[in-house]
Amino acid sequence: MKIIRVKDKAEGSKKAFELIKAAIENGATTLGLATGSTPEDLYKEMIASDIDFSQMTSINLDEYVGLDGSSPQSYRYFMNKHLFDAKPFKQTFVPNGAAADLEKEAADYEEIVDRHPIDIQILGIGHNAHIGFNEPGTHFEATTHVVDLTESTINANKIYFDKVEDVPTKAVSMGLASIMKSKEVILMAWGEGKADAIAAMVNGQQTEEVPASILQNHADVVVIVDEAAASKL
Ligand code: GLP
């Protein structure tokens, strides 16, 4: 893993943007995208740039079960608002959390991942070192699947909902094996709350209890961390 330490989120987001820009100049056509507060400034950089994404494909990591794209808390809505409305892509994939048959949705989504190999995957990280919605204990071999969210994740995400009871308890998420298929990974983390997860991912033992530790096996991972998130490295 290559670790890039930056002062803050603004500097780190610019750094991530430069890496994506270079990858696109080198022929990348498919971006793996993430939601959450971590990539928000990166998407602002992408919107402010003169890069034309209209021939590119994006594949998002995950979606809440039970929310369709018109729900403001859905990840489809988040992506439209934070990136796609301003910068259209040729095609954008986000799992359908409102699908009647979620197992089929997950299997179909993995086929999408296989049909459009991801050149560069953007990741944030949860406080418990989850990536996508792969909670501790998820098998490293898992492909896209239906996930039960942990209490820690539900609590972390309740700020986006009126009350904690409104936070979905399940999601459809690309699995750890799906994420490992991408050619290059950029994982970003800002703030002290991520310091333990970053230390466990980088220096800890590789274990399914620390989902992000699977990335120790990936050949091309860049970790961009601000001072607070790097404080336990
Ligand atoms: C959610 C998302 C992850 C994200 C994580 C951290 O669980 N599924 O993709 O990395 O939250 O969120 P934030 O960036 O808001 O800290």
Side-chain angles (χ1 to χ4, degrees), residues 139-161:
H139 293 307
F140 282 168
E141 296 77 28
T143 54
T144 304
H145 61 302
V146 181
V147 177
D148 288 316
L149 301 178
T150 61
E151 211 179 316
S152 141
T153 299
I154 291 171
N155 276 319
N157 290 337
K158 71 180 177 205
I159 50 167
Y160 299 107
F161 294 81

Side-chain angles (χ1 to χ4, degrees), residues 107-232:
D108 290 351
Y109 203 75
E110 192 67 22
E111 275 181 32
I112 290 171
V113 174
D114 286 334
R115 273 207 311 277
H116 304 277
I118 293 174
D119 291 300
I120 186 157
Q121 173 69 56
I122 303 302
L123 293 177
I125 188 167
H127 295 107
N128 58 8
H130 73 251
I131 50 177
F133 265 134
N134 293 283
E135 299 281 22
T138 305
H139 293 307
F140 282 168
E141 296 77 28
T143 54
T144 304
H145 61 302
V146 181
V147 177
D148 288 316
L149 301 178
T150 61
E151 211 179 316
S152 141
T153 299
I154 291 171
N155 276 319
N157 290 337
K158 71 180 177 205
I159 50 167
Y160 299 107
F161 294 81
D162 288 339
K163 45 187 194 311
V164 69
E165 297 78 50
D166 293 344
V167 186
T169 56
K170 287 178 186 287
V172 178
S173 179
M174 271 167 60
L176 295 166
S178 333
I179 292 170
M180 289 294 279
K181 291 175 185 173
S182 65
K183 292 179 197 146
E184 187 179 346
V185 173
I186 299 178
L187 185 145
M188 300 180 285
W190 326 127
E192 210 186 333
K194 302 291 173 71
D196 284 328
I198 290 294
M201 171 184 80
V202 175
N203 294 328
Q205 248 191 359
Q206 198 177 50
T207 160
E208 291 180 348
E209 289 312 309
V210 180
S213 68
I214 195 174
L215 297 173
Q216 293 173 6
N217 279 355
H218 194 288
D220 193 350
V221 179
V222 178
V223 180
I224 306 178
V225 270
D226 67 4
E227 283 168 9
S231 61
K232 295 190 176 168

Side-chain angles (χ1 to χ4, degrees), residues 58-98:
S58 73
I59 304 187
N60 261 78
L61 286 166
D62 47 16
E63 179 61 282
Y64 287 117
V65 165
L67 302 187
D68 72 23
S70 64
S71 161
Q73 287 90 9
S74 72
Y75 284 170
R76 162 54 76 182
Y77 191 98
F78 175 102
M79 289 310 303
N80 290 347
K81 180 173 159 203
H82 290 276
L83 185 60
F84 302 146
D85 287 350
K87 279 284 187 189
F89 279 58
K90 184 172 78 181
Q91 51 187 349
T92 63
F93 296 104
V94 180
N96 176 11

